[in-house]
Structure formats: C-alpha cells, structure tokens
C-alpha cells in the first residue's frame, strides 16, 4: 500500500508525468501482435532481416517520416552507396536531408 501512495505522490509532485502508461502499452502491443508472425520468418537470418526492417519502420514512425518514401529512396541509393556513406541512409539523417530545401538528392 505504501508503494502505491508513493507513486501517487510522485505523480502529484511532478506535473510532466503521465497518469497512465498507455504510450508504453501501445508500443509493446506491436511486439505482442507480431510475435506469432515472427515465428515464421523462415530462418534465424530471415528473423534478423525482419527485425532490421521493423526497426527502420519504427524509427520512421518516431520521426514522422513516410516509411514508403524512405525505404524506396534508400533501396534505390543503396547499390551505389559506399560503405563509408551508409550512415547517411539512417531515417534521421535522411529526414534532415529531405526537409532542407537547399539540399538536392
């Protein structure tokens, strides 16, 4: 009972805290819903590749980047990209280069 009172006190003292954890629950829901589908990735390597794609799409969602536009552009540029330039293909850097009107890609 004391732990609950401590949590309520912390919430009342700090106005920036959310009263619920809905945001965290929604984020974890994707994992729970997809878990059964990931069992059929075909192999460990297929699962690893699927995890990479899920991570890129989730990063796009956090940055409010259109994942279709991002993946299309990156997959077109990837074959001619040098290994040293791969960091330029992350969603955050891609977004910065596509929101700056002075930059042409």
């Amino acid at each position: 009972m004391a732990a609950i009172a401590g949590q309520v006190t912390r919430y009342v003292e700090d106005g920036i805290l959310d009263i619920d954890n809905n945001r965290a629950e929604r984020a974890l829901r994707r994992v729970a819903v997809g878990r059964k589908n990931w069992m059929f990735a075909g192999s460990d390597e297929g699962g690893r590749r699927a995890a990479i794609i899920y991570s890129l799409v989730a990063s796009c969602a956090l940055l409010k980047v259109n994942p279709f536009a991002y993946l299309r552009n990156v997959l077109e540029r990837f074959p001619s990209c040098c290994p040293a330039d791969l960091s330029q293909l992350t969603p955050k850097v891609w977004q910065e280069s596509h929101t700056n009107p002075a930059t042409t890609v």
Side-chain angles (χ1 to χ4, degrees), residues 3-26:
I4 294 173
Q7 292 171 355
V8 171
T9 303
R10 182 72 178 138
Y11 169 74
V12 172
E13 290 174 352
D14 193 345
I16 198 167
L17 297 175
D18 290 332
I19 195 165
D20 56 34
N21 65 346
N22 286 340
R23 190 179 320 165
E25 293 287 337
R26 281 192 304 273

Side-chain angles (χ1 to χ4, degrees), residues 35-90:
R35 187 177 299 134
K36 216 178 243 186
N37 295 332
W38 300 333
M39 289 180 2
F40 303 103
S43 66
D44 289 344
E45 186 61 25
R48 189 179 76 76
R49 290 178 182 153
I52 291 169
I53 297 296
Y54 279 116
S55 295
L56 288 172
V57 171
S59 295
C60 286
L62 287 173
L63 296 167
K64 296 184 177 22
V65 168
N66 178 344
F68 179 77
Y70 165 75
L71 289 171
R72 181 177 181 181
N73 182 263
V74 167
L75 291 173
E76 288 172 351
R77 294 171 50 194
F78 187 76
S80 63
C81 188
C82 299
D85 296 333
L86 288 178
S87 64
Q88 300 300 309
L89 301 180
T90 63

